[in-house]
Amino acid sequence: VIPGPVFARTIAINDPGTLAKYLVDEGSVAWLRRGDGMVGLGCFARVEVADPAEADAWWKGFVGGLQHRSEVTGVAGSGPVAFGSFSFDPGNTAGTSRLVVPRVVLGRRDGSSWLTVLSETPDPSLVELVETSGAPLVELVETPSPPVAPRDVQVIADTADEDRWRRRVAEAVRRIESNGLEKVVLARAVTATASEPIDVRHLVGTLSQGYPSCWTFSVDGLVGASPEMLVRRERGLATSRVLAGTIRRSGSEETDLKLASSLARSSKNLAEHELAVASVAEALAPLCSGMNVPESPYVLELPNVLHLATDVTAVAHKKASSLKLAAALHPSAAVCGTPTAVARAAIAELEGLDRGRYSGPVGWIDTNGDGEWAIALRCGMVDAADPRRINLFAGCGIVEGSDPDEELAETKAKLVPMLAALGL
């Protein structure tokens, strides 16, 4: 049910400084990159949806009943926004997908800073308070207590689970060699436990500082820093970043240069990457024109790993919102495989894991349909029943010639950001 009537007011404000410090509680939402982004406080509306397409329809209905006054124009994300997080495979999970519309949004982008407040009345009180009191915004909405680092965190090494995962990879390779499956992405999870409930705000702050080029997100218990942009839509331009092919960094600049060179020449990794790029281009084609697909990937350098990366760009059709584009792209070969239906069935049969919202789209959409939807990678899901526990996920693309030991090592490299954020 869409609440109504809905009034929104957006004002320009002075630079508020570090956005993560405004996360007031565990229910706050965040989307941060290179210091810019948005944090959402309070909940004006929250809805469970089946998939991005259903979320797109709900959001269009919400926007249709919205009355919005704004003094910030031409900046994507300024104004009312919905933050979303979606299941990887709705047919094989006990979890649900959801949209959250914050009551208060604090944002900064392209040199502009703003405050948006949603209300059931025409004059949101917080906006008036900021305008008339003269008090710094930080004094009005800053967190009542500083984030707390997790304490006594432990991850129990499960060698039996690692052995099972190796066998699953070996079985996937056998199927690739025998029954037409070209690629399948298999994930595994580890559980970290702390002595007290995990403060997600601390994870957001640590990840956004340690991985500034990634998109740090926090939506309803799912928190992480993704290097992969499923799709961004801004002023009609759609962009999708494809990552496939990974190698762990060594810590030595000279060695890393050699690793990057070997990654760029690896036939196994290049084949995996080509499948992922092709799946994105094929999915975008019906909703876009003027597509540009680079002939070869570049090496994306992150603090812990190197990735083969390709940025696909296109002009989105006017009615193709960022959520509609995300619905068309998910699941891409980068997190599922090729052919999609065969790979998804193999994941459900072989993986032995409820991914939940891991590897699903996560991001935001504004009232113009612009938005950013990353793939929920390098992330963890706080256990709603026991917030001292968090499940951490990592996956690998399995293709012909994949080695189970090498793939296991790759998952361990991909777990590093979240383990480090937890203090491990």
Side-chain angles (χ1 to χ4, degrees), residues 152-165:
D152 305 319
V153 180
Q154 294 183 331
V155 176
I156 299 175
D158 189 340
T159 55
D161 179 68
E162 292 183 357
D163 288 340
R164 283 192 297 271
W165 197 78

Side-chain angles (χ1 to χ4, degrees), residues 26-248:
E26 301 302 303
S28 302
V29 292
W31 181 265
L32 305 170
R33 184 173 189 256
R34 300 192 190 281
D36 280 358
M38 295 172 287
V39 295
L41 318 176
C43 179
F44 188 85
R46 182 180 183 276
V47 59
E48 293 187 354
V49 291
D51 51 36
E54 184 176 311
D56 190 39
W58 184 91
W59 178 241
K60 286 178 179 176
F62 183 92
V63 171
L66 181 67
Q67 298 182 44
H68 179 214
R69 287 192 293 152
S70 177
E71 56 186 57
V72 179
T73 58
V75 182
S78 61
V81 292
F83 291 77
S85 175
F86 298 91
S87 301
F88 166 74
D89 185 354
N92 289 284
T93 181
T96 57
S97 302
R98 65 284 316 269
L99 282 182
V100 178
V101 182
R103 188 170 288 275
V104 177
V105 178
L106 180 63
R108 178 176 55 231
R109 185 181 178 92
D110 298 335
S112 298
S113 300
W114 66 89
L115 174 73
T116 296
V117 179
L118 273 67
S119 175
E120 294 83 0
T121 59
D123 295 304
S125 58
L126 181 59
V127 170
E128 289 193 341
L129 187 60
V130 172
E131 289 183 321
T132 61
S133 69
L137 179 65
V138 66
E139 294 181 7
L140 301 175
V141 299
E142 189 177 13
T143 174
S145 60
V148 177
R151 298 173 183 171
D152 305 319
V153 180
Q154 294 183 331
V155 176
I156 299 175
D158 189 340
T159 55
D161 179 68
E162 292 183 357
D163 288 340
R164 283 192 297 271
W165 197 78
R166 287 189 186 94
R167 290 195 294 271
R168 288 165 179 157
V169 171
E171 171 60 19
V173 172
R174 187 193 68 78
R175 294 189 183 195
I176 288 169
E177 293 171 346
S178 64
N179 73 351
L181 181 63
E182 296 181 66
K183 171 188 174 181
V184 63
V185 179
L186 294 182
R188 54 185 289 262
V190 300
T191 301
T193 61
S195 58
E196 298 175 2
I198 294 169
D199 191 337
V200 172
R201 299 173 303 160
H202 171 81
L203 302 182
V204 170
T206 302
L207 289 168
S208 62
Q209 291 178 11
Y211 295 83
S213 65
C214 293
W215 289 269
T216 297
F217 57 88
S218 179
V219 180
D220 212 4
L222 183 72
V223 58
S226 177
E228 188 157 1
M229 177 56 62
L230 180 65
V231 67
R232 173 197 295 114
R233 180 186 184 274
E234 183 175 357
R235 299 187 184 96
L237 181 66
T239 306
S240 180
R241 171 171 291 179
V242 182
L243 303 184
T246 304
I247 195 167
R248 188 167 187 169

